[in-house]
Amino acid sequence: MRKRFFSLEEARTLLPRVKQQVARMVHLAQRLQLFQEDVRKLAELGGANAGGPAGTAHVENLVALQLSVREVMELGCLVKGVREGLVDFPHLKEGREVCLCWKHGEEDIEFWHEVDTGFAGRRPILEQE
């Protein structure tokens, strides 16, 4: 799959679709956390065929989460944090690759960072981007 680079305008146009999938991802990650202890217990009893509603719900949530992550990635975005809802949009700035950075709960794409600094290196976007 060829890497896609987004202009700021393209990323902002795509953001409503990304927001929808990321909200779903964050919700599913929270649900998976709720079932974590039940699934651990089921795994310990695995040899006794101790399946049940918690195990089924866990698998269904995992599949749904995987589909949401895949949909965002197929748009050309990079999912950097499922629990936090962190997404990067590859971008070219002055001829070098950087990332436009958005996090679940933010209204707009307002930050960018170098590829090697990640979220901790976020800087505000200047409108001339």
Side-chain angles (χ1 to χ4, degrees):
M1 183 177 191
R2 188 174 166 200
K3 184 175 234 172
R4 177 178 180 183
F5 292 98
F6 295 87
S7 68
L8 181 57
E9 182 180 322
E10 290 169 330
R12 285 180 168 160
T13 298
L14 200 57
L15 190 56
R17 190 168 168 193
V18 170
K19 282 182 178 183
Q20 181 180 25
Q21 288 304 318
V22 169
R24 181 170 166 78
M25 285 189 298
V26 169
H27 172 75
L28 289 165
Q30 290 169 348
R31 288 186 53 88
L32 286 167
Q33 189 71 30
L34 291 174
F35 290 111
Q36 186 174 4
E37 183 61 24
D38 290 335
V39 170
R40 186 192 61 75
K41 289 177 184 175
L42 287 172
E44 289 174 0
L45 299 172
N49 193 20
T56 300
H58 183 74
V59 170
E60 289 171 350
N61 285 313
L62 278 174
V63 170
L65 178 60
Q66 181 183 21
L67 291 173
S68 289
V69 169
R70 182 179 296 154
E71 183 167 327
V72 172
M73 291 178 66
E74 285 175 352
L75 296 171
C77 304
L78 306 171
V79 176
K80 293 298 189 163
V82 172
R83 288 187 182 125
E84 307 88 354
L86 189 57
V87 176
D88 285 346
F89 297 78
H91 176 72
L92 292 175
K93 178 179 177 64
E94 300 168 359
R96 70 184 194 285
E97 183 178 346
V98 298
C99 294
L100 302 173
C101 183
W102 176 81
K103 184 178 179 185
H104 179 65
E106 295 177 344
E107 195 61 35
D108 193 10
I109 300 169
E110 299 176 354
F111 299 94
W112 70 277
H113 61 77
E114 300 288 346
V115 172
D116 61 347
T117 62
F119 186 83
R122 291 191 346 156
R123 299 178 191 165
I125 291 175
L126 303 175
E127 283 306 313
Q128 61 265 38
E129 293 288 328

